Amino acid sequence: MCTYITVTAPVDGSAKRADGSWFHVSEAMAYFDHPVHAMADHTLNLDFVDRSKGPGARVAVELTAASARALVAAITEALDAAPAELTA
């Protein structure tokens, strides 16, 4: 079943292409749906993009639900452990 659940957030960061070059990312999309490549029925799919640079400025990740939840916990733990003045 397709969920069509997509959440978009503005972001400010960088991503690395397969050729080793870096590009700015300005938008992140999270959606729970069928994966393209991962071996699972449904995955949380993350796309980091810079639409101004065209379709080549995209990094995609497909995670199982358990892996996505573990990533959320790891991100929260890392941010909580950093000094507050660095994450403000």
Side-chain angles (χ1 to χ4, degrees):
M1 174 172 89
C2 294
T3 65
Y4 302 107
I5 298 167
T6 302
V7 179
T8 302
V11 297
D12 185 15
S14 296
K16 192 174 186 180
R17 291 185 176 95
D19 68 4
S21 64
W22 288 84
F23 65 98
H24 178 256
V25 291
S26 56
E27 184 178 11
M29 289 166 282
Y31 50 100
F32 192 76
D33 214 330
H34 300 287
V36 173
H37 189 266
M39 302 308 271
D41 288 337
H42 289 85
T43 54
L44 180 76
N45 306 309
L46 303 171
D47 290 341
F48 299 91
V49 301
D50 182 348
R51 291 185 190 274
S52 71
K53 298 217 175 10
R58 174 180 180 261
V59 172
V61 178
E62 299 173 336
L63 301 171
T64 63
S67 294
R69 291 181 192 282
L71 177 59
V72 168
I75 290 169
T76 300
E77 183 178 345
L79 288 171
D80 290 347
E85 63 271 15
L86 298 179
T87 61

Coordinates of all heavy atoms in Angstrom, one line a residue:
M1 N 0.8 -1.2 0.0 CA 0.0 0.0 0.0 C 0.9 1.2 0.0 O 1.8 1.3 0.8 CB -0.9 0.0 1.2 CG -1.7 1.2 1.4 SD -2.9 1.1 2.7 CE -2.0 1.7 4.1
C2 N 0.6 2.2 -0.9 CA 1.3 3.4 -0.9 C 0.7 4.4 0.1 O -0.5 4.5 0.2 CB 1.3 4.1 -2.3 SG 2.1 3.1 -3.6
T3 N 1.6 5.1 0.9 CA 1.1 6.0 1.9 C 1.0 7.4 1.4 O 0.2 8.2 1.8 CB 2.0 6.0 3.1 OG1 3.3 6.5 2.8 CG2 2.1 4.6 3.7
Y4 N 1.9 7.8 0.4 CA 1.9 9.1 -0.1 C 2.2 10.2 1.0 O 1.9 11.3 0.8 CB 0.7 9.5 -0.9 CG 0.4 8.6 -2.0 CD1 -0.6 7.6 -2.0 CD2 1.2 8.6 -3.2 CE1 -0.9 6.8 -3.0 CE2 1.0 7.7 -4.2 CZ -0.1 6.8 -4.1 OH -0.3 5.9 -5.2
I5 N 2.7 9.7 2.2 CA 3.1 10.6 3.3 C 4.4 11.2 3.0 O 5.4 10.5 2.9 CB 3.1 9.9 4.6 CG1 1.7 9.3 4.9 CG2 3.6 10.8 5.7 CD1 1.7 8.3 6.1
T6 N 4.5 12.5 2.7 CA 5.7 13.2 2.5 C 5.8 14.4 3.3 O 4.9 15.2 3.4 CB 5.8 13.6 1.0 OG1 5.7 12.4 0.2 CG2 7.2 14.3 0.7
V7 N 6.9 14.6 4.0 CA 7.2 15.8 4.8 C 8.4 16.4 4.3 O 9.5 15.8 4.1 CB 7.4 15.4 6.3 CG1 7.6 16.6 7.2 CG2 6.1 14.6 6.8
T8 N 8.4 17.7 4.1 CA 9.5 18.5 3.6 C 10.0 19.5 4.6 O 9.2 20.1 5.3 CB 9.1 19.2 2.3 OG1 8.6 18.3 1.3 CG2 10.2 20.0 1.6
A9 N 11.3 19.7 4.7 CA 11.8 20.7 5.6 C 13.0 21.4 4.9 O 13.8 20.8 4.2 CB 12.4 19.9 6.9
P10 N 13.0 22.7 5.2 CA 14.2 23.5 4.7 C 15.4 23.0 5.5 O 15.3 22.8 6.8 CB 13.8 24.9 5.0 CG 12.8 24.9 6.0 CD 12.1 23.6 5.9
V11 N 16.6 22.9 4.9 CA 17.8 22.5 5.6 C 18.9 23.4 5.0 O 18.8 24.0 4.0 CB 18.2 21.0 5.4 CG1 17.1 20.1 6.1 CG2 18.4 20.6 4.0
D12 N 20.0 23.4 5.8 CA 21.2 24.1 5.3 C 22.4 23.2 5.6 O 22.7 23.0 6.8 CB 21.3 25.4 6.1 CG 22.5 26.3 5.6 OD1 23.0 26.0 4.5 OD2 22.9 27.2 6.2
G13 N 23.0 22.6 4.6 CA 24.1 21.7 4.8 C 24.7 21.4 3.5 O 24.5 22.0 2.5
S14 N 25.5 20.3 3.5 CA 26.2 19.8 2.3 C 26.0 18.3 2.1 O 25.8 17.6 3.1 CB 27.7 20.1 2.4 OG 27.9 21.5 2.4
A15 N 26.1 17.8 0.9 CA 26.1 16.4 0.6 C 27.2 16.1 -0.4 O 27.6 16.9 -1.2 CB 24.7 16.0 0.0
K16 N 27.6 14.8 -0.4 CA 28.7 14.4 -1.2 C 28.2 13.5 -2.3 O 27.5 12.5 -2.1 CB 29.8 13.7 -0.4 CG 31.1 13.5 -1.1 CD 32.1 12.9 -0.1 CE 33.4 12.8 -0.7 NZ 34.4 12.2 0.3
R17 N 28.6 13.8 -3.6 CA 28.2 13.0 -4.7 C 29.1 11.8 -4.8 O 30.2 11.8 -4.2 CB 28.4 13.8 -6.0 CG 27.4 14.9 -6.2 CD 27.6 15.5 -7.6 NE 26.6 16.5 -7.9 CZ 26.7 17.8 -7.6 NH1 27.9 18.3 -7.2 NH2 25.8 18.7 -7.9
A18 N 28.8 10.8 -5.6 CA 29.6 9.6 -5.8 C 31.0 10.0 -6.4 O 31.9 9.3 -6.1 CB 28.9 8.7 -6.7
D19 N 31.1 11.1 -7.1 CA 32.3 11.5 -7.7 C 33.3 12.2 -6.7 O 34.4 12.6 -7.1 CB 32.1 12.3 -9.0 CG 31.5 13.7 -8.7 OD1 31.3 14.1 -7.5 OD2 31.3 14.4 -9.7
G20 N 32.8 12.4 -5.5 CA 33.6 13.0 -4.5 C 33.4 14.5 -4.3 O 33.9 15.1 -3.4
S21 N 32.6 15.1 -5.2 CA 32.4 16.5 -5.1 C 31.2 16.8 -4.1 O 30.3 16.0 -4.0 CB 32.1 17.1 -6.5 OG 30.9 16.6 -7.0
W22 N 31.3 17.9 -3.5 CA 30.2 18.3 -2.6 C 29.3 19.4 -3.2 O 29.7 20.1 -4.1 CB 30.9 19.0 -1.3 CG 31.6 18.0 -0.5 CD1 32.9 17.5 -0.7 CD2 31.1 17.3 0.7 NE1 33.2 16.6 0.3 CE2 32.1 16.5 1.2 CE3 29.9 17.4 1.4 CZ2 32.0 15.7 2.3 CZ3 29.7 16.6 2.5 CH2 30.8 15.8 2.9
F23 N 28.1 19.4 -2.7 CA 27.1 20.4 -3.1 C 26.2 20.8 -1.9 O 26.1 20.0 -1.0 CB 26.3 19.9 -4.3 CG 25.3 18.8 -4.0 CD1 24.0 19.0 -3.7 CD2 25.8 17.5 -4.0 CE1 23.2 17.9 -3.4 CE2 25.0 16.4 -3.8 CZ 23.6 16.6 -3.5
H24 N 25.7 22.0 -2.0 CA 24.8 22.5 -0.9 C 23.5 21.8 -1.0 O 23.0 21.6 -2.1 CB 24.7 24.0 -1.1 CG 23.8 24.6 -0.1 ND1 22.5 25.0 -0.4 CD2 24.0 24.9 1.2 CE1 21.9 25.5 0.6 NE2 22.8 25.5 1.6
V25 N 22.9 21.5 0.1 CA 21.5 21.0 0.2 C 20.7 22.0 0.9 O 21.1 22.6 1.9 CB 21.4 19.6 0.8 CG1 22.0 18.6 -0.1 CG2 22.0 19.5 2.2
S26 N 19.5 22.3 0.3 CA 18.6 23.3 0.9 C 17.2 22.7 1.3 O 16.4 23.4 1.9 CB 18.4 24.4 -0.1 OG 17.9 23.9 -1.3
E27 N 17.0 21.5 1.0 CA 15.7 20.9 1.3 C 15.9 19.4 1.6 O 16.7 18.7 1.0 CB 14.8 21.0 0.0 CG 13.4 20.6 0.2 CD 12.5 20.8 -1.0 OE1 13.0 21.2 -2.1 OE2 11.3 20.6 -0.9
A28 N 15.1 18.9 2.5 CA 15.1 17.5 2.9 C 13.6 17.0 2.8 O 12.7 17.7 3.2 CB 15.7 17.2 4.2
M29 N 13.5 15.8 2.2 CA 12.1 15.2 2.2 C 12.2 13.9 2.8 O 13.2 13.1 2.6 CB 11.7 15.1 0.7 CG 11.4 16.4 0.0 SD 11.2 16.2 -1.7 CE 12.9 16.2 -2.2
A30 N 11.2 13.6 3.7 CA 11.1 12.3 4.3 C 9.7 11.7 3.9 O 8.7 12.4 4.0 CB 11.2 12.4 5.8
Y31 N 9.7 10.5 3.4 CA 8.5 9.9 3.0 C 8.5 8.4 3.3 O 9.6 7.8 3.1 CB 8.1 10.2 1.6 CG 9.1 9.9 0.5 CD1 9.1 8.8 -0.2 CD2 10.2 10.9 0.3 CE1 10.1 8.6 -1.2 CE2 11.1 10.6 -0.6 CZ 11.1 9.5 -1.4 OH 12.1 9.3 -2.3
F32 N 7.4 7.8 3.7 CA 7.3 6.4 4.0 C 6.6 5.7 2.8 O 5.4 6.0 2.6 CB 6.6 6.2 5.3 CG 6.8 4.8 5.8 CD1 8.0 4.3 6.4 CD2 5.7 3.9 5.7 CE1 8.1 3.0 6.8 CE2 5.9 2.5 6.1 CZ 7.1 2.1 6.7
D33 N 7.3 4.9 2.1 CA 6.7 4.3 0.9 C 7.5 3.1 0.4 O 8.4 2.7 1.1 CB 6.6 5.4 -0.2 CG 5.3 5.2 -1.1 OD1 4.9 4.1 -1.3 OD2 4.8 6.2 -1.6
H34 N 7.2 2.7 -0.8 CA 8.0 1.6 -1.4 C 9.4 2.1 -1.7 O 9.5 3.1 -2.3 CB 7.3 1.1 -2.6 CG 5.9 0.5 -2.4 ND1 5.6 -0.7 -1.8 CD2 4.7 1.1 -2.7 CE1 4.4 -0.8 -1.7 NE2 3.8 0.2 -2.3
P35 N 10.4 1.3 -1.4 CA 11.8 1.7 -1.8 C 12.0 1.4 -3.3 O 11.3 0.6 -3.9 CB 12.6 0.8 -0.9 CG 11.8 -0.4 -0.7 CD 10.4 0.0 -0.6
V36 N 13.0 2.0 -3.8 CA 13.5 1.7 -5.1 C 14.5 0.6 -5.1 O 14.5 -0.3 -5.9 CB 14.1 3.0 -5.8 CG1 14.7 2.7 -7.1 CG2 13.1 4.1 -5.9
H37 N 15.4 0.6 -4.1 CA 16.5 -0.4 -4.1 C 16.5 -1.2 -2.8 O 16.9 -2.4 -2.9 CB 17.8 0.4 -4.2 CG 19.0 -0.5 -4.4 ND1 19.8 -0.9 -3.4 CD2 19.5 -1.1 -5.5 CE1 20.7 -1.7 -3.8 NE2 20.6 -1.8 -5.2
A38 N 16.2 -0.7 -1.7 CA 16.3 -1.5 -0.4 C 15.4 -2.7 -0.4 O 14.4 -2.7 -1.0 CB 15.9 -0.6 0.8
M39 N 15.9 -3.7 0.2 CA 15.2 -5.0 0.2 C 14.2 -5.0 1.4 O 14.4 -5.7 2.4 CB 16.2 -6.2 0.3 CG 17.2 -6.2 -0.8 SD 16.4 -6.1 -2.4 CE 16.1 -7.8 -2.7
A40 N 13.1 -4.3 1.3 CA 12.0 -4.2 2.3 C 10.7 -3.8 1.5 O 10.8 -3.2 0.4 CB 12.4 -3.2 3.3
D41 N 9.6 -4.1 2.1 CA 8.3 -3.7 1.5 C 8.1 -2.2 1.5 O 7.6 -1.7 0.6 CB 7.2 -4.4 2.2 CG 7.1 -5.9 1.9 OD1 7.7 -6.4 0.9 OD2 6.6 -6.7 2.7
H42 N 8.4 -1.6 2.7 CA 8.3 -0.2 2.8 C 9.5 0.4 3.6 O 10.1 -0.3 4.4 CB 7.1 0.2 3.6 CG 5.8 0.0 2.8 ND1 5.2 -1.3 2.8 CD2 5.1 0.8 2.1 CE1 4.1 -1.2 2.0 NE2 4.0 0.0 1.6
T43 N 9.9 1.6 3.2 CA 11.1 2.2 3.9 C 10.8 3.7 4.1 O 9.9 4.3 3.5 CB 12.4 2.1 3.1 OG1 12.1 2.6 1.8 CG2 12.9 0.6 3.0
L44 N 11.5 4.2 5.1 CA 11.5 5.7 5.2 C 12.6 6.2 4.2 O 13.7 5.8 4.3 CB 11.9 6.1 6.6 CG 11.9 7.6 6.7 CD1 10.5 8.2 6.8 CD2 12.7 8.1 7.9
N45 N 12.2 7.0 3.3 CA 13.0 7.4 2.2 C 13.4 8.9 2.5 O 12.5 9.7 2.8 CB 12.4 7.3 0.9 CG 11.9 5.9 0.7 OD1 12.7 4.9 0.8 ND2 10.6 5.7 0.3
L46 N 14.7 9.2 2.5 CA 15.1 10.6 2.7 C 15.8 11.1 1.5 O 16.7 10.4 0.9 CB 16.2 10.6 3.9 CG 15.7 10.0 5.2 CD1 16.8 9.9 6.2 CD2 14.6 10.9 5.8
D47 N 15.4 12.2 1.0 CA 16.1 12.9 -0.1 C 16.6 14.2 0.4 O 15.9 15.0 1.0 CB 15.1 13.1 -1.2 CG 14.6 11.9 -1.9 OD1 15.3 10.8 -1.8 OD2 13.6 11.9 -2.6
F48 N 17.8 14.5 0.1 CA 18.5 15.8 0.4 C 18.8 16.4 -1.0 O 19.5 15.8 -1.8 CB 19.7 15.6 1.2 CG 19.5 15.0 2.6 CD1 19.5 13.6 2.7 CD2 19.1 15.8 3.7 CE1 19.3 13.0 4.0 CE2 18.9 15.2 4.9 CZ 18.9 13.8 5.0
V49 N 18.3 17.6 -1.2 CA 18.4 18.2 -2.6 C 18.7 19.7 -2.5 O 18.5 20.3 -1.5 CB 17.0 18.0 -3.4 CG1 16.7 16.5 -3.5 CG2 15.9 18.8 -2.7
D50 N 19.2 20.1 -3.7 CA 19.2 21.5 -4.0 C 18.6 21.7 -5.4 O 19.2 21.4 -6.4 CB 20.7 22.0 -4.0 CG 20.8 23.5 -4.3 OD1 19.8 24.2 -4.7 OD2 21.9 24.1 -4.1
R51 N 17.3 22.0 -5.4 CA 16.5 22.1 -6.6 C 17.1 23.0 -7.6 O 16.9 22.8 -8.8 CB 15.1 22.5 -6.3 CG 14.3 21.4 -5.5 CD 12.8 21.8 -5.4 NE 12.2 20.8 -4.5 CZ 11.6 19.7 -4.9 NH1 11.7 19.3 -6.1 NH2 11.0 19.0 -4.0
S52 N 17.8 24.1 -7.2 CA 18.4 25.0 -8.1 C 19.5 24.4 -9.0 O 19.8 25.0 -10.0 CB 18.9 26.3 -7.3 OG 20.1 25.9 -6.6
K53 N 20.0 23.3 -8.6 CA 21.1 22.7 -9.3 C 20.7 21.5 -10.1 O 21.5 20.8 -10.7 CB 22.2 22.2 -8.3 CG 22.8 23.4 -7.6 CD 24.2 23.2 -7.3 CE 25.0 24.3 -6.7 NZ 24.3 25.4 -6.1
G54 N 19.3 21.2 -10.2 CA 18.8 20.1 -11.0 C 18.8 18.8 -10.4 O 19.2 18.7 -9.2
P55 N 18.4 17.7 -11.1 CA 18.3 16.4 -10.5 C 19.6 15.8 -10.1 O 19.6 14.8 -9.3 CB 17.6 15.6 -11.7 CG 17.9 16.4 -12.9 CD 18.1 17.8 -12.5
G56 N 20.7 16.2 -10.5 CA 22.0 15.6 -10.1 C 22.4 16.1 -8.7 O 23.3 15.5 -8.1
A57 N 21.7 17.1 -8.1 CA 22.1 17.6 -6.8 C 21.1 16.9 -5.8 O 20.2 17.6 -5.2 CB 22.0 19.1 -6.7
R58 N 21.2 15.6 -5.6 CA 20.3 14.8 -4.8 C 21.1 13.7 -4.2 O 21.8 13.0 -4.9 CB 19.1 14.3 -5.6 CG 18.2 13.4 -4.9 CD 17.1 12.9 -5.9 NE 16.1 12.1 -5.2 CZ 16.2 10.7 -5.3 NH1 17.1 10.1 -6.1 NH2 15.3 10.0 -4.7
V59 N 20.8 13.5 -2.9 CA 21.3 12.3 -2.2 C 20.1 11.6 -1.6 O 19.2 12.2 -1.0 CB 22.3 12.6 -1.1 CG1 22.6 11.4 -0.3 CG2 23.5 13.2 -1.7
A60 N 19.9 10.3 -1.9 CA 18.7 9.6 -1.4 C 19.2 8.4 -0.5 O 20.2 7.8 -0.7 CB 17.9 9.0 -2.6
V61 N 18.4 8.2 0.5 CA 18.6 7.1 1.5 C 17.3 6.4 1.7 O 16.3 7.0 1.9 CB 19.2 7.6 2.8 CG1 19.4 6.5 3.8 CG2 20.5 8.4 2.6
E62 N 17.3 5.1 1.8 CA 16.2 4.3 2.1 C 16.5 3.4 3.3 O 17.4 2.7 3.3 CB 15.8 3.3 0.9 CG 15.5 4.0 -0.4 CD 15.3 3.1 -1.5 OE1 15.8 2.0 -1.5 OE2 14.6 3.5 -2.5
L63 N 15.7 3.6 4.4 CA 15.9 2.9 5.7 C 14.7 2.2 6.1 O 13.5 2.7 6.0 CB 16.2 4.0 6.8 CG 17.4 4.9 6.5 CD1 17.5 6.0 7.6 CD2 18.7 4.0 6.6
T64 N 14.9 1.0 6.7 CA 13.8 0.3 7.3 C 13.2 1.2 8.4 O 14.0 2.1 8.9 CB 14.2 -1.0 7.9 OG1 15.1 -0.8 8.9 CG2 14.7 -2.0 6.8
A65 N 12.0 0.9 8.9 CA 11.4 1.7 10.0 C 12.3 1.6 11.2 O 12.6 2.7 11.9 CB 10.0 1.3 10.2
A66 N 12.8 0.5 11.5 CA 13.6 0.3 12.7 C 14.9 1.1 12.6 O 15.4 1.7 13.6 CB 13.9 -1.2 13.0
S67 N 15.5 1.0 11.4 CA 16.8 1.8 11.2 C 16.5 3.3 11.3 O 17.3 4.0 11.8 CB 17.3 1.4 9.8 OG 17.8 0.1 9.8
A68 N 15.4 3.8 10.7 CA 15.1 5.2 10.8 C 14.9 5.6 12.2 O 15.4 6.7 12.6 CB 13.8 5.5 9.9
R69 N 14.2 4.8 13.0 CA 14.0 5.2 14.4 C 15.3 5.2 15.2 O 15.6 6.1 16.0 CB 13.0 4.2 15.1 CG 11.6 4.4 14.6 CD 10.6 3.5 15.3 NE 9.3 3.4 14.7 CZ 8.4 4.3 14.8 NH1 8.6 5.4 15.5 NH2 7.2 4.2 14.2
A70 N 16.2 4.3 14.9 CA 17.5 4.3 15.5 C 18.3 5.5 15.1 O 19.1 6.1 15.9 CB 18.3 3.0 15.1
L71 N 18.2 5.9 13.8 CA 18.9 7.1 13.4 C 18.4 8.3 14.1 O 19.1 9.2 14.5 CB 18.7 7.3 11.8 CG 19.4 8.5 11.2 CD1 20.9 8.6 11.5 CD2 19.1 8.6 9.7
V72 N 17.0 8.5 14.2 CA 16.5 9.6 15.0 C 17.0 9.6 16.4 O 17.4 10.7 16.9 CB 14.9 9.5 15.0 CG1 14.3 10.5 16.0 CG2 14.4 9.7 13.6
A73 N 17.1 8.5 17.0 CA 17.6 8.4 18.4 C 19.1 8.8 18.4 O 19.6 9.6 19.3 CB 17.5 7.0 19.0
A74 N 19.9 8.4 17.4 CA 21.3 8.7 17.4 C 21.5 10.2 17.1 O 22.4 10.8 17.7 CB 22.0 7.9 16.3
I75 N 20.7 10.8 16.3 CA 20.8 12.2 16.0 C 20.5 13.0 17.2 O 21.2 14.0 17.6 CB 19.9 12.6 14.8 CG1 20.4 12.1 13.5 CG2 19.7 14.2 14.8 CD1 19.4 12.2 12.3
T76 N 19.4 12.6 17.9 CA 19.0 13.3 19.2 C 20.1 13.2 20.2 O 20.4 14.2 20.9 CB 17.7 12.8 19.7 OG1 16.7 13.0 18.7 CG2 17.2 13.4 21.0
E77 N 20.7 12.0 20.4 CA 21.7 11.8 21.3 C 22.9 12.7 21.0 O 23.5 13.3 21.9 CB 22.1 10.3 21.4 CG 23.1 10.0 22.4 CD 23.5 8.5 22.5 OE1 22.7 7.7 22.0 OE2 24.5 8.2 23.1
A78 N 23.3 12.7 19.8 CA 24.5 13.5 19.4 C 24.3 15.0 19.6 O 25.2 15.7 20.2 CB 24.9 13.2 17.9
L79 N 23.1 15.5 19.3 CA 22.8 16.9 19.5 C 22.7 17.2 21.0 O 23.2 18.3 21.4 CB 21.5 17.3 18.8 CG 21.6 17.4 17.3 CD1 20.2 17.5 16.7 CD2 22.5 18.5 16.8
D80 N 22.1 16.4 21.8 CA 22.0 16.6 23.2 C 23.3 16.6 23.9 O 23.5 17.2 24.9 CB 21.0 15.6 23.8 CG 19.6 15.8 23.4 OD1 19.2 16.9 22.9 OD2 18.7 14.9 23.7
A81 N 24.3 15.8 23.4 CA 25.6 15.7 24.0 C 26.5 16.9 23.6 O 27.5 17.1 24.4 CB 26.3 14.4 23.5
A82 N 26.2 17.6 22.6 CA 27.0 18.7 22.2 C 26.7 19.9 23.1 O 25.6 20.1 23.6 CB 26.7 19.1 20.7
P83 N 27.8 20.8 23.3 CA 27.5 22.0 24.1 C 26.4 22.8 23.5 O 26.3 23.0 22.3 CB 28.9 22.7 24.0 CG 29.9 21.6 23.7 CD 29.1 20.6 22.8
A84 N 25.5 23.3 24.3 CA 24.4 24.1 23.9 C 24.7 25.3 23.0 O 24.0 25.6 22.1 CB 23.6 24.5 25.1
E85 N 25.9 25.9 23.3 CA 26.2 27.1 22.5 C 26.6 26.7 21.1 O 26.6 27.6 20.2 CB 27.4 27.9 23.2 CG 28.7 27.1 23.3 CD 28.8 26.3 24.6 OE1 27.8 26.1 25.3 OE2 29.9 25.9 24.9
L86 N 26.9 25.5 20.8 CA 27.2 25.0 19.5 C 26.0 24.6 18.7 O 26.0 24.6 17.4 CB 28.2 23.9 19.5 CG 29.6 24.1 20.1 CD1 30.4 22.9 20.1 CD2 30.3 25.3 19.4
T87 N 24.9 24.4 19.4 CA 23.7 23.9 18.7 C 22.6 24.9 18.7 O 21.5 24.6 18.2 CB 23.2 22.6 19.3 OG1 22.8 22.8 20.6 CG2 24.2 21.5 19.2
A88 N 22.8 26.1 19.2 CA 21.8 27.1 19.3 C 21.4 27.7 17.9 O 22.2 27.7 17.0 CB 22.2 28.2 20.2

